[in-house]
Amino acid sequence: MRTRQRFRAAVVALPLLLAVAGCQSGAGKAGGSEGEATSTATSPSRPSVFDVPVPKQPAAAGDALADSGTAAFTTTVTYTTAGGRAVERTTGVLDWKQDAARAERVVQVPAGFPAAVADELDLTPGRYHYAVEGNEVAYRRQGGTWLRYAASDPKEFADSTAAVLGLAGDAAPWGRTLAEVLKVSFAVEDREVPGGGHRYRTQVDGLTAESVLPPAVVGYASGWGPTQTVVVDLDRQGRLVRAEADYGKLLVELHGKGALRGLTGLRVELALTGHGRPVTALVPATERFEAARTVLTLVDEVEPGDCASTDTGLGHVGVVRVVPCGSGADLRVFGQRPVDEVIRDAGREVRARRLAAERCGRDFRAAPAAWTAGARPAGAYRVSGDERFEFVSTGSGTAVQGHFTCYVTLR
């Protein structure tokens, strides 16, 4: 059992997600990689990437990313434990002109991977499809209908769906990748690689480096972690083709705070190919969309006894779709619990989680048998919540306030 924290993010209003027309850029492949259209890494008002001082060249490549026009991408997050490695791999296409992307995310969790760590990281094996235009993101449900998350949704709902809205990037249409850190990176080492490109070892501040990590990891990080090393590869035209980062130093810091101790390795990689190749329509106009805010519910508003589906693309249970109890349900709520206490020991986060777990435990034992009989694993319950900490003015402890939902998973 653990208390899940929701993740907050600023959003702005943009137009609705529509079908995206393809675009073409470049002609021929002179000067580019084999099979790629020509795509310069400069604009008329910007110098060549390799004309700026070496320490600033990766940042210049970040500024020039959009000049590629289009590209295919693969981003990989590898989670290592004593019981094996789980891999989260996302592949798709980017269209800077349309500010749009289409992506498929595949999560693979081996049999020996610790279930507790998978739960902490919100890792659920499967294939998930997304589309992005501007700051709006759509997720394709298992039934085929797309859920559209809009930045103009009511603030509380938009804040609670930041795990999806954060997939709309700044440096590229698809976000939360190492492309996002280039503009603030500083090269401390550079060497030429076969083919005329360059490989850099760069430094990125901890806060920016954390912004590319999955939300479940960011929820445990302080926001001011250690400086991160990112290895960046540019081709001979100064275009980004690969970036990778080992977040081992951040894990050491988290372990010292008692978080994610079962996770022994965390690595993030990004590869870009096919710069400038034409991109076809990313989302066919015939596919059906639903506005997520009209069909989804904040989990702390689900009535005890009701069931819900977590097929939302969010990767957490903070927002769900209320459904009839049966084959389409992933969880059943059996209690809603507020917490408003003053904690006088140092482990405030641990104590807050314990308070929520204890109260949900009482609700679990008192709930009608029909509400908890389908729990998987049998006899286990879970807690989802949002907690706030404030120091008491008298110095006698820390005020902990929050609301927690008690539920069982059904499959």
Side-chain angles (χ1 to χ4, degrees):
M1 299 169 292
R2 82 177 181 90
T3 301
R4 301 178 188 271
Q5 297 185 14
R6 298 193 192 127
F7 308 97
R8 308 296 185 185
V11 292
V12 295
L14 286 172
L16 296 178
L17 178 69
L18 300 173
V20 180
C23 72
Q24 297 187 10
S25 63
K29 59 181 181 181
S33 301
E34 184 177 354
E36 295 184 10
T38 298
S39 175
T40 64
T42 61
S43 70
S45 60
R46 184 167 51 239
S48 166
V49 168
F50 297 129
D51 286 341
V52 304
V54 169
K56 297 182 179 180
Q57 286 177 7
D63 287 331
L65 267 175
D67 295 337
S68 296
T70 60
F73 77 95
T74 299
T75 181
T76 306
V77 183
T78 304
Y79 307 91
T80 302
T81 70
R85 294 180 177 178
V87 177
E88 180 180 339
R89 181 172 287 111
T90 303
T91 59
V93 291
L94 306 167
D95 186 333
W96 276 272
K97 182 177 180 181
Q98 301 291 337
D99 196 12
R102 177 79 180 261
E104 178 186 67
R105 174 174 167 258
V106 178
V107 180
Q108 297 174 312
V109 182
F113 197 87
V117 179
D119 181 58
E120 288 178 314
L121 297 172
D122 290 323
L123 291 176
T124 302
R127 292 179 179 270
Y128 308 91
H129 295 86
Y130 298 87
V132 176
E133 185 180 20
N135 269 16
E136 297 195 353
V137 183
Y139 163 72
R140 194 173 190 270
R141 297 179 61 244
Q142 293 178 9
T145 301
W146 292 80
L147 287 176
R148 183 174 57 215
Y149 294 89
S152 57
D153 286 340
K155 185 178 185 303
E156 184 178 9
F157 185 83
D159 285 352
S160 297
T161 58
V164 160
L165 289 173
L167 296 176
D170 178 24
W174 180 267
R176 207 174 288 142
T177 76
L178 287 170
E180 301 295 328
V181 309
L182 287 187
K183 290 184 180 181
V184 296
S185 65
F186 184 85
V188 296
E189 182 181 300
D190 165 46
R191 65 182 178 87
E192 190 169 346
V193 296
H198 286 255
R199 172 166 293 174
Y200 306 84
R201 189 167 61 86
T202 73
Q203 298 293 303
V204 179
D205 69 273
L207 180 61
T208 303
E210 288 177 17
S211 69
V212 310
L213 294 173
V217 178
V218 176
Y220 292 101
S222 64
W224 298 99
T227 299
Q228 179 64 50
T229 298
V230 180
V231 177
V232 176
D233 287 354
L234 306 183
D235 67 10
R236 66 178 181 268
Q237 293 182 334
R239 302 175 304 191
L240 175 66
V241 292
R242 186 172 179 82
E244 57 186 46
D246 185 327
Y247 281 80
K249 288 196 300 182
L250 176 62
L251 284 184
V252 170
E253 181 175 280
L254 295 181
H255 292 169
K257 298 177 180 179
L260 295 177
R261 286 182 172 172
L263 188 62
T264 59
L266 178 63
R267 189 172 187 82
V268 179
E269 301 169 75
L270 169 67
L272 294 180
T273 60
H275 300 76
R277 289 180 181 171
V279 173
T280 58
L282 299 182
V283 180
T286 56
E287 298 195 23
R288 190 163 66 91
F289 288 82
E290 293 178 310
R293 65 181 175 80
T294 66
V295 296
L296 302 185
T297 303
L298 299 176
V299 74
D300 56 18
E301 296 177 358
V302 178
E303 293 292 333
D306 285 352
C307 293
S309 167
T310 58
D311 184 19
T312 61
L314 293 167
H316 65 73
V317 299
V319 180
V320 296
R321 187 174 193 142
V322 176
V323 298
C325 295
S327 60
D330 297 309
L331 64 85
R332 190 166 193 167
V333 173
F334 61 82
Q336 298 286 1
R337 278 287 188 170
V339 171
D340 190 352
E341 301 282 345
V342 174
I343 297 175
R344 292 179 172 80
D345 55 50
R348 61 185 190 179
E349 288 87 354
V350 173
R351 180 60 179 155
R353 291 195 288 270
R354 189 178 303 141
L355 282 172
E358 289 172 353
R359 295 178 185 185
C360 283
R362 291 197 291 269
D363 287 346
F364 182 79
R365 291 186 289 273
W371 292 7
T372 59
R376 297 290 184 272
Y381 65 90
R382 298 172 183 263
V383 182
S384 172
D386 190 6
E387 56 196 14
R388 299 177 303 280
F389 302 99
E390 294 181 4
F391 290 105
V392 178
S393 58
T394 60
S396 59
T398 302
V400 179
Q401 297 176 323
H403 186 96
F404 299 90
T405 300
C406 317
Y407 68 97
V408 294
T409 54
L410 302 176
R411 55 182 177 180

